[in-house]
Amino acid sequence: FGALEGGPLAELTSEVTGIAHGVVVDPDVRPAEGESFRDVVRRAQLFVEQASTEGSDVPLLVVTHGGMIRALRAYCSRAPLEGLIWDPVGNASVWTMSTSERR
C-alpha cells in the first residue's frame, strides 16, 4: 500500500486500493508510492514463470503476505482481476496452488 503501509486502516479506501466491499473494482488503482493489484499480479506471474523454468515440477513452499497470495491465486486460476473477491487470508494460513493449467 505504498505510503499508506502501516498506517490506519481507515485510510485504505477504495479510491487508493481499488477494493470496495470485498471486491476488486479497479485493479489499476495505485496508492502513492505503491503498486496496483495488477502490478502485484505481474510480479506473481514473473515469480511463477521463473520458478517453473528453474524448478521443473518440484513442489515449492512459498512464504509471503496476503496480497501476494491473492495475486498468485488470481494468476494461477486465470481469474479476471475486475470483480475478484478479496477474501480473507489468515496469518500463517496454508494455500495450495497449481500452475499446471497455465502451461
Side-chain angles (χ1 to χ4, degrees):
F1 293 113
L4 300 175
E5 192 71 35
L9 290 177
E11 292 182 10
L12 298 178
T13 63
S14 60
E15 290 79 20
V16 296
T17 65
I19 302 161
H21 308 292
V23 175
V24 177
V25 293
D26 187 347
D28 297 306
V29 168
R30 180 186 322 273
E33 301 175 30
E35 294 176 289
S36 68
F37 185 58
R38 191 176 309 277
D39 293 335
V40 178
V41 172
R42 284 190 195 114
R43 279 198 298 123
Q45 176 184 355
L46 292 173
F47 169 76
V48 168
E49 289 172 354
Q50 182 179 354
S52 295
T53 59
E54 291 179 4
S56 182
D57 289 327
V58 176
L60 295 177
L61 172 65
V62 179
V63 179
T64 189
H65 58 84
M68 181 55 76
I69 290 171
R70 291 177 186 99
L72 286 164
R73 288 174 45 207
Y75 174 72
C76 290
S77 69
R78 298 180 183 217
L81 301 184
E82 293 84 358
L84 186 77
I85 302 298
W86 195 263
D87 54 347
V89 174
N91 290 339
S93 60
V94 176
W95 297 80
T96 302
M97 295 172 223
S98 173
T99 60
S100 60
E101 294 179 18
R102 296 235 34 116
R103 295 183 188 154

Coordinates of all heavy atoms in Angstrom, one line a residue:
F1 N 0.8 -1.2 0.0 CA 0.0 0.0 0.0 C 0.8 1.3 0.0 O 0.4 2.3 0.3 CB -1.0 0.0 1.2 CG -2.0 -1.1 1.0 CD1 -2.0 -2.2 1.9 CD2 -3.0 -1.0 0.0 CE1 -3.0 -3.2 1.8 CE2 -3.9 -2.0 -0.1 CZ -3.9 -3.1 0.8
G2 N 2.1 1.1 -0.4 CA 2.9 2.3 -0.5 C 3.1 3.2 0.7 O 3.3 2.7 1.8
A3 N 2.9 4.5 0.5 CA 3.0 5.4 1.6 C 2.0 5.2 2.8 O 2.2 5.6 3.9 CB 2.8 6.9 1.1
L4 N 0.9 4.4 2.5 CA -0.1 4.1 3.5 C 0.2 2.8 4.3 O -0.5 2.5 5.2 CB -1.5 3.9 2.8 CG -2.0 5.2 2.0 CD1 -3.3 4.8 1.3 CD2 -2.1 6.3 3.0
E5 N 1.3 2.1 3.9 CA 1.7 0.9 4.6 C 1.9 1.2 6.1 O 2.6 2.1 6.4 CB 2.9 0.3 4.0 CG 3.3 -1.1 4.4 CD 2.3 -2.1 3.9 OE1 1.8 -2.0 2.7 OE2 2.0 -3.1 4.6
G6 N 1.3 0.4 6.9 CA 1.4 0.5 8.4 C 0.6 1.6 9.0 O 0.6 1.8 10.2
G7 N -0.2 2.3 8.2 CA -1.0 3.4 8.7 C -2.4 2.9 9.1 O -2.6 1.7 9.1
P8 N -3.2 3.8 9.5 CA -4.6 3.4 9.9 C -5.4 2.8 8.8 O -5.3 3.2 7.6 CB -5.2 4.8 10.3 CG -4.2 5.7 10.4 CD -3.0 5.2 9.6
L9 N -6.1 1.7 9.1 CA -6.9 1.0 8.1 C -8.0 1.9 7.5 O -8.3 1.7 6.3 CB -7.6 -0.2 8.7 CG -6.6 -1.4 9.0 CD1 -7.4 -2.5 9.7 CD2 -5.9 -1.9 7.8
A10 N -8.4 2.9 8.2 CA -9.4 3.8 7.7 C -8.9 4.6 6.5 O -9.7 5.1 5.7 CB -9.8 4.8 8.8
E11 N -7.6 4.7 6.3 CA -7.1 5.4 5.1 C -7.1 4.5 3.9 O -6.8 5.0 2.8 CB -5.7 5.9 5.4 CG -5.6 7.0 6.4 CD -4.2 7.6 6.7 OE1 -3.3 7.2 6.0 OE2 -4.1 8.3 7.7
L12 N -7.3 3.3 4.0 CA -7.3 2.3 2.9 C -8.6 2.3 2.2 O -9.3 1.3 2.2 CB -6.8 0.9 3.3 CG -5.4 0.9 3.9 CD1 -5.1 -0.6 4.3 CD2 -4.4 1.4 2.9
T13 N -9.0 3.4 1.6 CA -10.3 3.5 1.0 C -10.3 2.9 -0.4 O -9.2 2.7 -1.0 CB -10.8 5.0 0.9 OG1 -9.8 5.6 0.0 CG2 -10.8 5.6 2.3
S14 N -11.4 2.7 -1.1 CA -11.4 2.1 -2.4 C -10.7 3.0 -3.4 O -10.2 2.6 -4.4 CB -12.9 1.8 -2.8 OG -13.6 3.0 -2.9
E15 N -10.7 4.3 -3.1 CA -10.0 5.3 -4.0 C -8.5 5.0 -4.1 O -7.9 5.4 -5.1 CB -10.3 6.7 -3.6 CG -11.7 7.2 -3.8 CD -12.7 6.7 -2.7 OE1 -12.2 6.3 -1.6 OE2 -13.9 6.7 -3.0
V16 N -7.9 4.5 -3.1 CA -6.5 4.3 -3.1 C -6.1 2.8 -3.2 O -5.0 2.5 -3.4 CB -5.8 4.9 -1.8 CG1 -5.9 6.4 -1.8 CG2 -6.3 4.3 -0.6
T17 N -7.1 1.9 -3.0 CA -6.8 0.5 -3.1 C -7.4 -0.2 -4.3 O -7.0 -1.3 -4.7 CB -7.3 -0.3 -1.8 OG1 -8.7 -0.2 -1.8 CG2 -6.7 0.3 -0.6
G18 N -8.5 0.3 -4.8 CA -9.3 -0.3 -5.9 C -10.1 -1.5 -5.4 O -10.7 -2.2 -6.2
I19 N -10.3 -1.6 -4.1 CA -11.1 -2.7 -3.5 C -12.2 -2.0 -2.7 O -12.1 -1.1 -1.9 CB -10.2 -3.5 -2.5 CG1 -9.0 -4.1 -3.2 CG2 -11.0 -4.6 -1.8 CD1 -7.9 -4.5 -2.3
A20 N -13.5 -2.5 -3.0 CA -14.7 -2.0 -2.3 C -15.5 -3.1 -2.0 O -15.8 -4.0 -2.8 CB -15.4 -1.0 -3.3
H21 N -16.0 -3.2 -0.7 CA -16.9 -4.2 -0.2 C -16.4 -5.6 -0.5 O -17.2 -6.5 -0.9 CB -18.3 -3.9 -0.8 CG -18.8 -2.5 -0.6 ND1 -19.1 -2.0 0.7 CD2 -19.0 -1.5 -1.4 CE1 -19.5 -0.8 0.6 NE2 -19.4 -0.4 -0.7
G22 N -15.1 -5.8 -0.4 CA -14.5 -7.1 -0.5 C -14.4 -7.6 -2.0 O -14.2 -8.8 -2.2
V23 N -14.4 -6.6 -2.9 CA -14.3 -7.0 -4.3 C -13.3 -6.0 -5.0 O -13.3 -4.8 -4.7 CB -15.6 -6.9 -5.0 CG1 -15.5 -7.1 -6.5 CG2 -16.6 -7.8 -4.4
V24 N -12.4 -6.5 -5.9 CA -11.5 -5.7 -6.6 C -12.4 -5.0 -7.7 O -12.9 -5.6 -8.6 CB -10.4 -6.5 -7.3 CG1 -9.5 -5.6 -8.1 CG2 -9.6 -7.2 -6.2
V25 N -12.5 -3.7 -7.6 CA -13.3 -2.9 -8.5 C -12.4 -2.2 -9.6 O -12.9 -1.9 -10.7 CB -14.2 -1.9 -7.8 CG1 -15.3 -2.6 -7.0 CG2 -13.4 -0.9 -7.0
D26 N -11.2 -1.9 -9.2 CA -10.3 -1.3 -10.2 C -8.8 -1.8 -9.9 O -8.2 -1.3 -9.0 CB -10.3 0.2 -10.1 CG -9.5 0.9 -11.2 OD1 -8.7 0.2 -11.8 OD2 -9.7 2.1 -11.4
P27 N -8.4 -2.8 -10.6 CA -7.0 -3.4 -10.3 C -5.9 -2.5 -10.7 O -4.7 -2.8 -10.4 CB -7.0 -4.7 -11.1 CG -8.0 -4.5 -12.2 CD -9.0 -3.5 -11.7
D28 N -6.2 -1.3 -11.3 CA -5.1 -0.4 -11.7 C -4.9 0.8 -10.8 O -4.1 1.6 -11.1 CB -5.4 0.0 -13.2 CG -5.4 -1.1 -14.1 OD1 -4.4 -1.9 -14.2 OD2 -6.4 -1.4 -14.8
V29 N -5.8 0.9 -9.8 CA -5.6 2.0 -8.8 C -4.3 1.7 -8.1 O -3.9 0.6 -7.7 CB -6.8 2.0 -7.8 CG1 -6.4 2.9 -6.6 CG2 -8.0 2.4 -8.5
R30 N -3.5 2.8 -7.9 CA -2.2 2.8 -7.3 C -2.1 3.8 -6.2 O -2.1 5.0 -6.5 CB -1.1 3.0 -8.4 CG 0.3 3.0 -8.0 CD 1.2 3.4 -9.1 NE 0.8 3.0 -10.4 CZ 1.1 1.8 -10.9 NH1 1.9 1.0 -10.2 NH2 0.7 1.5 -12.1
P31 N -1.9 3.3 -5.0 CA -1.7 4.3 -3.9 C -0.4 5.0 -4.0 O 0.5 4.5 -4.7 CB -1.7 3.4 -2.6 CG -1.5 2.0 -3.0 CD -1.9 1.9 -4.5
A32 N -0.2 6.2 -3.5 CA 1.0 6.9 -3.6 C 2.2 6.0 -3.1 O 2.1 5.4 -2.1 CB 1.0 8.2 -2.7
E33 N 3.2 6.0 -4.0 CA 4.4 5.2 -3.7 C 4.2 3.7 -3.6 O 5.0 2.9 -3.1 CB 5.1 5.7 -2.4 CG 5.6 7.1 -2.5 CD 6.1 7.6 -1.1 OE1 6.7 6.8 -0.4 OE2 6.0 8.8 -0.8
G34 N 3.1 3.2 -4.2 CA 2.7 1.8 -4.1 C 2.5 1.2 -5.4 O 2.7 1.8 -6.5
E35 N 2.0 0.0 -5.4 CA 1.7 -0.8 -6.6 C 0.2 -1.0 -6.7 O -0.5 -1.1 -5.7 CB 2.3 -2.2 -6.5 CG 3.8 -2.3 -6.5 CD 4.2 -3.7 -6.3 OE1 4.1 -4.3 -5.2 OE2 4.8 -4.3 -7.2
S36 N -0.3 -1.1 -7.9 CA -1.6 -1.5 -8.2 C -1.7 -3.0 -8.0 O -0.7 -3.7 -8.0 CB -2.1 -1.2 -9.6 OG -1.4 -2.0 -10.5
F37 N -2.9 -3.6 -7.8 CA -3.1 -5.0 -7.7 C -2.6 -5.7 -9.0 O -2.0 -6.7 -9.0 CB -4.5 -5.4 -7.4 CG -4.7 -6.9 -7.2 CD1 -4.0 -7.5 -6.2 CD2 -5.5 -7.6 -8.0 CE1 -4.1 -8.9 -6.0 CE2 -5.7 -9.0 -7.8 CZ -5.0 -9.6 -6.8
R38 N -2.8 -5.0 -10.1 CA -2.4 -5.6 -11.4 C -0.8 -5.7 -11.4 O -0.3 -6.7 -11.9 CB -2.8 -4.8 -12.6 CG -2.6 -5.4 -13.9 CD -3.2 -4.7 -15.1 NE -4.5 -4.3 -15.0 CZ -5.6 -5.1 -15.3 NH1 -5.4 -6.3 -15.7 NH2 -6.8 -4.6 -15.2
D39 N -0.1 -4.7 -10.8 CA 1.3 -4.8 -10.7 C 1.7 -6.0 -9.9 O 2.7 -6.7 -10.2 CB 1.9 -3.5 -10.0 CG 1.7 -2.3 -10.9 OD1 1.6 -2.3 -12.1 OD2 1.7 -1.2 -10.3
V40 N 1.0 -6.2 -8.8 CA 1.4 -7.3 -7.9 C 1.1 -8.7 -8.6 O 1.9 -9.6 -8.5 CB 0.6 -7.3 -6.6 CG1 0.9 -8.5 -5.7 CG2 0.8 -6.0 -5.8
V41 N 0.1 -8.7 -9.4 CA -0.2 -10.0 -10.2 C 0.9 -10.2 -11.2 O 1.4 -11.3 -11.5 CB -1.6 -9.9 -10.9 CG1 -1.8 -11.1 -11.8 CG2 -2.7 -9.9 -9.8
R42 N 1.4 -9.1 -11.8 CA 2.6 -9.2 -12.8 C 3.8 -9.8 -12.1 O 4.5 -10.6 -12.6 CB 2.9 -7.9 -13.4 CG 1.9 -7.5 -14.5 CD 2.4 -6.3 -15.3 NE 1.3 -5.7 -16.0 CZ 0.7 -4.6 -15.8 NH1 1.1 -3.7 -14.9 NH2 -0.3 -4.2 -16.6
R43 N 4.1 -9.3 -10.8 CA 5.2 -9.8 -10.0 C 5.0 -11.3 -9.8 O 5.9 -12.1 -9.8 CB 5.4 -9.1 -8.7 CG 6.1 -7.8 -8.9 CD 6.7 -7.2 -7.6 NE 5.7 -6.9 -6.6 CZ 5.6 -7.4 -5.4 NH1 6.5 -8.3 -5.0 NH2 4.7 -7.0 -4.5
A44 N 3.7 -11.7 -9.4 CA 3.4 -13.1 -9.2 C 3.6 -13.9 -10.4 O 4.2 -15.0 -10.4 CB 1.9 -13.2 -8.7
Q45 N 3.3 -13.4 -11.6 CA 3.5 -14.1 -12.9 C 5.0 -14.3 -13.1 O 5.4 -15.4 -13.5 CB 2.9 -13.3 -14.0 CG 3.2 -13.8 -15.4 CD 2.6 -13.0 -16.5 OE1 2.0 -12.0 -16.3 NE2 2.9 -13.4 -17.7
L46 N 5.8 -13.3 -12.9 CA 7.2 -13.4 -13.1 C 7.8 -14.5 -12.2 O 8.6 -15.3 -12.6 CB 7.9 -12.1 -12.9 CG 7.6 -11.0 -13.9 CD1 8.3 -9.6 -13.5 CD2 8.2 -11.4 -15.3
F47 N 7.3 -14.5 -10.9 CA 7.8 -15.5 -10.0 C 7.4 -16.9 -10.4 O 8.3 -17.8 -10.5 CB 7.2 -15.2 -8.6 CG 7.5 -16.4 -7.6 CD1 8.7 -16.6 -7.1 CD2 6.5 -17.3 -7.4 CE1 8.9 -17.7 -6.2 CE2 6.7 -18.4 -6.5 CZ 7.9 -18.6 -6.0
V48 N 6.2 -17.1 -10.8 CA 5.7 -18.4 -11.3 C 6.5 -18.9 -12.5 O 6.9 -20.0 -12.6 CB 4.2 -18.4 -11.5 CG1 3.7 -19.7 -12.2 CG2 3.4 -18.2 -10.2
E49 N 6.7 -18.0 -13.5 CA 7.4 -18.3 -14.7 C 8.8 -18.7 -14.4 O 9.4 -19.7 -14.9 CB 7.3 -17.2 -15.7 CG 5.9 -17.0 -16.3 CD 5.8 -15.8 -17.1 OE1 6.7 -15.0 -17.2 OE2 4.7 -15.7 -17.8
Q50 N 9.5 -17.9 -13.5 CA 10.9 -18.2 -13.2 C 10.9 -19.6 -12.4 O 11.8 -20.4 -12.7 CB 11.5 -17.1 -12.3 CG 12.9 -17.4 -11.9 CD 13.5 -16.2 -11.1 OE1 12.9 -15.2 -10.9 NE2 14.7 -16.4 -10.7
A51 N 10.1 -19.7 -11.4 CA 10.1 -21.0 -10.6 C 9.8 -22.2 -11.5 O 10.4 -23.3 -11.3 CB 9.1 -20.9 -9.5
S52 N 8.9 -22.0 -12.5 CA 8.6 -23.1 -13.4 C 9.7 -23.6 -14.3 O 9.9 -24.7 -14.5 CB 7.4 -22.7 -14.3 OG 6.2 -22.5 -13.5
T53 N 10.5 -22.6 -14.7 CA 11.7 -22.9 -15.6 C 12.8 -23.5 -14.8 O 13.6 -24.3 -15.2 CB 12.1 -21.7 -16.4 OG1 12.5 -20.7 -15.6 CG2 11.0 -21.3 -17.4
E54 N 13.0 -23.0 -13.6 CA 14.2 -23.4 -12.7 C 13.9 -24.6 -12.0 O 14.8 -25.4 -11.7 CB 14.6 -22.3 -11.8 CG 15.1 -21.1 -12.5 CD 15.5 -19.9 -11.5 OE1 15.4 -20.1 -10.3 OE2 15.9 -18.9 -12.0
G55 N 12.7 -24.9 -11.6 CA 12.4 -26.0 -10.7 C 11.7 -27.2 -11.3 O 11.3 -28.1 -10.6
S56 N 11.4 -27.1 -12.6 CA 10.6 -28.1 -13.2 C 9.3 -28.3 -12.5 O 8.6 -27.3 -12.3 CB 11.5 -29.4 -13.3 OG 10.8 -30.4 -13.9
D57 N 9.0 -29.5 -12.1 CA 7.7 -29.8 -11.4 C 7.9 -30.0 -10.0 O 7.0 -30.7 -9.3 CB 7.0 -30.9 -12.1 CG 6.5 -30.6 -13.5 OD1 6.1 -29.4 -13.7 OD2 6.4 -31.5 -14.4
V58 N 8.9 -29.5 -9.4 CA 9.2 -29.7 -8.0 C 8.3 -28.8 -7.2 O 8.2 -27.6 -7.4 CB 10.7 -29.4 -7.6 CG1 10.9 -29.5 -6.1 CG2 11.6 -30.3 -8.4
P59 N 7.5 -29.4 -6.2 CA 6.7 -28.6 -5.3 C 7.5 -27.5 -4.6 O 8.6 -27.8 -4.2 CB 6.0 -29.5 -4.4 CG 6.2 -30.9 -5.0 CD 7.4 -30.8 -5.8
L60 N 6.9 -26.3 -4.4 CA 7.6 -25.3 -3.7 C 6.8 -24.9 -2.5 O 5.6 -24.9 -2.5 CB 7.7 -24.0 -4.6 CG 8.6 -24.1 -5.8 CD1 8.4 -22.7 -6.6 CD2 10.0 -24.4 -5.5
L61 N 7.5 -24.5 -1.5 CA 6.9 -23.8 -0.3 C 7.2 -22.4 -0.4 O 8.4 -22.0 -0.4 CB 7.4 -24.4 1.0 CG 7.0 -23.7 2.3 CD1 5.5 -23.8 2.5 CD2 7.7 -24.2 3.5
V62 N 6.2 -21.5 -0.5 CA 6.4 -20.1 -0.6 C 5.8 -19.4 0.6 O 4.6 -19.6 0.9 CB 5.7 -19.6 -1.9 CG1 5.9 -18.1 -2.1 CG2 6.3 -20.3 -3.1
V63 N 6.6 -18.6 1.2 CA 6.1 -17.8 2.4 C 6.0 -16.3 1.9 O 6.9 -15.7 1.5 CB 7.1 -17.9 3.6 CG1 6.6 -17.1 4.8 CG2 7.2 -19.4 3.9
T64 N 4.8 -15.8 2.1 CA 4.5 -14.4 1.6 C 3.3 -13.8 2.3 O 2.7 -14.5 3.2 CB 4.3 -14.4 0.0 OG1 4.3 -13.1 -0.4 CG2 3.1 -15.2 -0.4
H65 N 2.9 -12.7 1.9 CA 1.8 -11.9 2.5 C 0.5 -12.1 1.8 O 0.5 -12.7 0.6 CB 2.2 -10.4 2.6 CG 2.5 -9.8 1.3 ND1 1.5 -9.3 0.5 CD2 3.6 -9.5 0.7 CE1 2.0 -8.8 -0.6 NE2 3.3 -8.9 -0.5
G66 N -0.6 -11.7 2.4 CA -1.9 -11.9 1.8 C -2.1 -11.4 0.4 O -2.8 -12.0 -0.4
G67 N -1.6 -10.2 0.2 CA -1.8 -9.6 -1.2 C -1.1 -10.4 -2.3 O -1.7 -10.6 -3.3
M68 N 0.1 -10.9 -2.0 CA 0.7 -11.8 -3.0 C 0.0 -13.1 -3.1 O -0.1 -13.7 -4.2 CB 2.2 -12.0 -2.6 CG 3.0 -12.8 -3.6 SD 2.9 -12.2 -5.3 CE 4.0 -10.9 -5.3
I69 N -0.5 -13.7 -2.0 CA -1.3 -14.9 -2.1 C -2.5 -14.7 -3.0 O -2.7 -15.5 -3.9 CB -1.7 -15.4 -0.7 CG1 -0.5 -15.9 0.1 CG2 -2.8 -16.5 -0.8 CD1 -0.7 -16.2 1.5
R70 N -3.2 -13.6 -2.8 CA -4.3 -13.3 -3.7 C -3.9 -13.2 -5.2 O -4.5 -13.6 -6.1 CB -5.0 -12.1 -3.2 CG -5.8 -12.3 -1.9 CD -6.4 -11.0 -1.5 NE -7.0 -11.1 -0.1 CZ -6.4 -10.6 1.0 NH1 -5.2 -10.1 0.9 NH2 -7.0 -10.8 2.1
A71 N -2.7 -12.5 -5.4 CA -2.2 -12.3 -6.7 C -1.8 -13.7 -7.4 O -2.1 -13.9 -8.5 CB -1.0 -11.4 -6.7
L72 N -1.1 -14.5 -6.6 CA -0.8 -15.8 -7.1 C -2.0 -16.6 -7.5 O -2.1 -17.3 -8.5 CB 0.1 -16.6 -6.1 CG 1.5 -16.1 -6.0 CD1 2.2 -16.6 -4.6 CD2 2.4 -16.5 -7.2
R73 N -3.0 -16.6 -6.6 CA -4.2 -17.4 -6.8 C -4.9 -16.8 -8.1 O -5.4 -17.6 -8.9 CB -5.2 -17.3 -5.6 CG -4.7 -18.1 -4.5 CD -5.5 -17.9 -3.2 NE -6.9 -17.9 -3.5 CZ -7.8 -17.3 -2.7 NH1 -7.4 -16.6 -1.6 NH2 -9.1 -17.4 -2.9
A74 N -5.0 -15.5 -8.3 CA -5.6 -14.9 -9.4 C -4.8 -15.3 -10.7 O -5.5 -15.7 -11.7 CB -5.7 -13.4 -9.3
Y75 N -3.5 -15.2 -10.7 CA -2.7 -15.6 -11.8 C -2.9 -17.1 -12.2 O -3.1 -17.4 -13.3 CB -1.3 -15.2 -11.6 CG -0.4 -15.7 -12.8 CD1 -0.5 -15.1 -14.0 CD2 0.4 -16.8 -12.6 CE1 0.3 -15.6 -15.1 CE2 1.2 -17.3 -13.7 CZ 1.1 -16.7 -14.9 OH 1.8 -17.2 -16.0
C76 N -2.7 -17.9 -11.2 CA -2.7 -19.4 -11.4 C -4.1 -19.9 -11.9 O -4.2 -20.8 -12.7 CB -2.3 -20.2 -10.2 SG -0.6 -20.0 -9.8
S77 N -5.2 -19.2 -11.5 CA -6.5 -19.6 -11.9 C -7.0 -18.9 -13.1 O -8.1 -19.2 -13.6 CB -7.5 -19.3 -10.7 OG -7.7 -18.0 -10.5
R78 N -6.2 -17.9 -13.6 CA -6.6 -17.1 -14.8 C -7.9 -16.3 -14.5 O -8.6 -16.0 -15.4 CB -6.8 -18.0 -16.0 CG -5.6 -18.7 -16.4 CD -5.8 -19.5 -17.7 NE -4.6 -20.2 -18.0 CZ -4.2 -20.4 -19.3 NH1 -4.9 -20.0 -20.3 NH2 -3.1 -21.1 -19.5
A79 N -8.2 -16.0 -13.3 CA -9.4 -15.3 -12.9 C -9.2 -13.8 -13.4 O -8.2 -13.2 -13.3 CB -9.6 -15.3 -11.4
P80 N -10.3 -13.2 -13.9 CA -10.3 -11.8 -14.2 C -10.0 -11.0 -12.9 O -10.6 -11.3 -11.9 CB -11.6 -11.5 -14.8 CG -12.4 -12.7 -14.6 CD -11.6 -13.8 -14.2
L81 N -9.3 -9.9 -13.0 CA -9.0 -9.1 -11.8 C -10.2 -8.3 -11.4 O -10.4 -8.1 -10.2 CB -7.7 -8.3 -12.1 CG -6.5 -9.1 -12.4 CD1 -5.3 -8.1 -12.5 CD2 -6.2 -10.2 -11.4
E82 N -10.9 -7.7 -12.4 CA -12.0 -6.9 -12.1 C -13.1 -7.9 -11.5 O -13.4 -8.9 -12.1 CB -12.6 -6.2 -13.3 CG -11.7 -5.1 -13.8 CD -10.6 -5.6 -14.8 OE1 -10.5 -6.9 -15.0 OE2 -9.8 -4.8 -15.2
G83 N -13.6 -7.6 -10.4 CA -14.7 -8.4 -9.7 C -14.1 -9.5 -8.9 O -14.9 -10.3 -8.3
L84 N -12.8 -9.6 -8.8 CA -12.2 -10.7 -8.0 C -12.6 -10.5 -6.5 O -12.5 -9.4 -6.0 CB -10.7 -10.6 -8.1 CG -9.9 -11.7 -7.4 CD1 -10.0 -13.0 -8.2 CD2 -8.4 -11.3 -7.3
I85 N -13.0 -11.5 -5.8 CA -13.3 -11.4 -4.4 C -12.0 -11.3 -3.6 O -11.1 -12.0 -3.8 CB -14.1 -12.7 -3.9 CG1 -15.4 -12.9 -4.8 CG2 -14.4 -12.6 -2.4 CD1 -16.4 -11.8 -4.7
W86 N -12.0 -10.3 -2.7 CA -10.8 -10.0 -1.9 C -11.1 -10.7 -0.5 O -11.5 -10.1 0.4 CB -10.7 -8.5 -1.7 CG -9.3 -8.1 -1.2 CD1 -9.0 -7.8 0.1 CD2 -8.1 -8.0 -1.9 NE1 -7.7 -7.5 0.3 CE2 -7.1 -7.6 -0.9 CE3 -7.7 -8.2 -3.2 CZ2 -5.8 -7.4 -1.3 CZ3 -6.4 -8.0 -3.5 CH2 -5.5 -7.6 -2.6
D87 N -11.0 -12.0 -0.5 CA -11.4 -12.8 0.7 C -10.3 -12.8 1.7 O -9.1 -12.4 1.4 CB -11.7 -14.2 0.3 CG -10.6 -14.9 -0.5 OD1 -9.7 -14.2 -1.0 OD2 -10.7 -16.1 -0.7
P88 N -10.6 -13.1 2.9 CA -9.6 -13.0 4.0 C -8.5 -14.1 3.8 O -8.7 -15.2 3.3 CB -10.4 -13.4 5.3 CG -11.8 -13.2 4.9 CD -11.9 -13.4 3.4
V89 N -7.3 -13.7 4.1 CA -6.1 -14.6 4.1 C -5.5 -14.5 5.5 O -4.9 -13.5 5.8 CB -5.1 -14.2 3.0 CG1 -3.8 -15.0 3.1 CG2 -5.7 -14.3 1.6
G90 N -5.7 -15.6 6.2 CA -5.3 -15.6 7.6 C -3.8 -15.7 7.8 O -3.1 -16.2 7.0
N91 N -3.3 -15.1 8.9 CA -1.9 -15.3 9.2 C -1.6 -16.7 9.4 O -2.3 -17.5 9.9 CB -1.6 -14.5 10.6 CG -1.7 -13.0 10.4 OD1 -1.6 -12.5 9.3 ND2 -1.8 -12.4 11.5
A92 N -0.4 -17.1 8.9 CA 0.1 -18.5 8.9 C -0.8 -19.5 8.2 O -0.8 -20.7 8.6 CB 0.4 -18.9 10.4
S93 N -1.7 -19.0 7.3 CA -2.5 -19.9 6.6 C -1.8 -20.6 5.5 O -0.7 -20.2 5.0 CB -3.8 -19.2 6.0 OG -3.4 -18.2 5.1
V94 N -2.3 -21.8 5.1 CA -1.7 -22.6 4.0 C -2.6 -22.6 2.8 O -3.8 -22.9 3.0 CB -1.4 -24.0 4.5 CG1 -0.8 -24.9 3.4 CG2 -0.4 -24.0 5.7
W95 N -2.1 -22.3 1.7 CA -2.8 -22.4 0.4 C -2.1 -23.3 -0.6 O -0.9 -23.1 -0.7 CB -2.9 -20.9 -0.2 CG -3.7 -20.0 0.7 CD1 -3.2 -19.4 1.8 CD2 -5.1 -19.7 0.7 NE1 -4.2 -18.6 2.4 CE2 -5.3 -18.8 1.7 CE3 -6.1 -20.0 -0.2 CZ2 -6.6 -18.2 1.9 CZ3 -7.3 -19.4 0.0 CH2 -7.6 -18.6 1.1
T96 N -2.8 -24.1 -1.3 CA -2.3 -24.9 -2.3 C -2.7 -24.4 -3.6 O -3.8 -24.1 -3.9 CB -2.8 -26.4 -2.1 OG1 -2.4 -26.9 -0.8 CG2 -2.1 -27.3 -3.2
M97 N -1.7 -24.2 -4.5 CA -1.9 -23.7 -5.8 C -1.2 -24.5 -6.9 O -0.2 -25.1 -6.6 CB -1.4 -22.2 -5.9 CG -2.1 -21.3 -5.1 SD -1.3 -19.7 -5.1 CE -1.3 -19.3 -3.3
S98 N -1.8 -24.5 -8.1 CA -1.2 -25.3 -9.1 C -1.0 -24.4 -10.4 O -1.9 -23.6 -10.7 CB -2.0 -26.5 -9.5 OG -1.5 -27.1 -10.7
T99 N 0.1 -24.5 -11.0 CA 0.3 -23.7 -12.2 C 0.2 -24.6 -13.4 O 0.4 -24.2 -14.6 CB 1.7 -23.1 -12.2 OG1 2.7 -24.1 -12.1 CG2 1.9 -22.1 -11.1
S100 N -0.1 -25.9 -13.3 CA -0.2 -26.8 -14.4 C -1.1 -26.4 -15.5 O -0.8 -26.6 -16.7 CB -0.5 -28.2 -13.9 OG -1.8 -28.2 -13.3
E101 N -2.2 -25.7 -15.2 CA -3.1 -25.3 -16.3 C -2.6 -24.1 -17.0 O -3.1 -23.7 -18.1 CB -4.5 -24.9 -15.6 CG -5.2 -26.1 -15.0 CD -6.5 -25.8 -14.4 OE1 -7.0 -24.7 -14.7 OE2 -7.0 -26.6 -13.6
R102 N -1.6 -23.4 -16.5 CA -1.1 -22.2 -17.1 C -0.1 -22.5 -18.3 O 0.2 -21.7 -19.1 CB -0.3 -21.3 -16.1 CG -1.3 -20.8 -15.1 CD -1.3 -19.4 -14.9 NE -1.2 -18.5 -15.9 CZ -2.1 -17.6 -16.4 NH1 -3.3 -17.6 -15.9 NH2 -1.8 -16.8 -17.3
R103 N 0.4 -23.7 -18.3 CA 1.4 -24.1 -19.3 C 0.8 -24.3 -20.7 O -0.2 -24.6 -20.9 CB 2.2 -25.3 -18.8 CG 3.0 -25.0 -17.6 CD 3.8 -26.2 -17.1 NE 4.3 -25.9 -15.8 CZ 4.6 -26.7 -15.0 NH1 4.5 -28.0 -15.2 NH2 5.1 -26.4 -13.8

